[in-house]
Amino acid sequence: MVILIILMLQTAMAGGSYPLALSDKIFQTGSHFLPMTYGVLGLRKLFNLGLSGIWSQIWPLLIFLVIGQMLLILAYFWHNHGEGILEK
């Protein structure tokens, strides 16, 4: 249920369901910190065949991907290290 609410908020902040310019100020400022914003803008550019500006949407998505993978690796090692302490 929590993940569904987070997904709905992220979709609203990305401008996927409602234009971002007409949204509240909180949604406009928070949208720059969510990967879905860049995904929605990139898909809009692809659908309009504006491939020249697509890289401005791909770079933030790649940065989010790298940061997310690093956090997953850190969480994995932290979780396994905690289990190793409990087993000893």
Side-chain angles (χ1 to χ4, degrees):
M1 185 69 171
V2 174
I3 292 178
L4 182 63
I5 292 171
I6 291 171
L7 182 64
M8 288 171 44
L9 282 174
Q10 189 171 356
T11 304
M13 283 186 169
S17 60
Y18 193 73
L20 194 57
L22 300 175
S23 297
D24 195 31
K25 188 74 171 169
I26 294 171
F27 290 124
Q28 291 177 0
T29 54
S31 68
H32 301 293
F33 302 106
L34 298 173
M36 189 176 260
T37 302
Y38 300 102
V40 168
L41 291 174
L43 284 173
R44 286 182 182 161
K45 288 189 180 206
L46 280 176
F47 292 150
N48 292 331
L49 298 176
L51 297 177
S52 61
I54 195 73
W55 286 104
S56 64
Q57 309 308 320
I58 291 176
W59 287 115
L61 285 173
L62 289 175
I63 291 170
F64 277 116
L65 177 72
V66 169
I67 291 171
Q69 292 299 311
M70 288 190 318
L71 288 173
L72 280 173
I73 291 170
L74 286 173
Y76 172 77
F77 284 121
W78 180 65
H79 177 68
N80 282 345
H81 179 69
E83 285 182 357
I85 290 174
L86 293 175
E87 291 175 359
K88 291 182 182 179

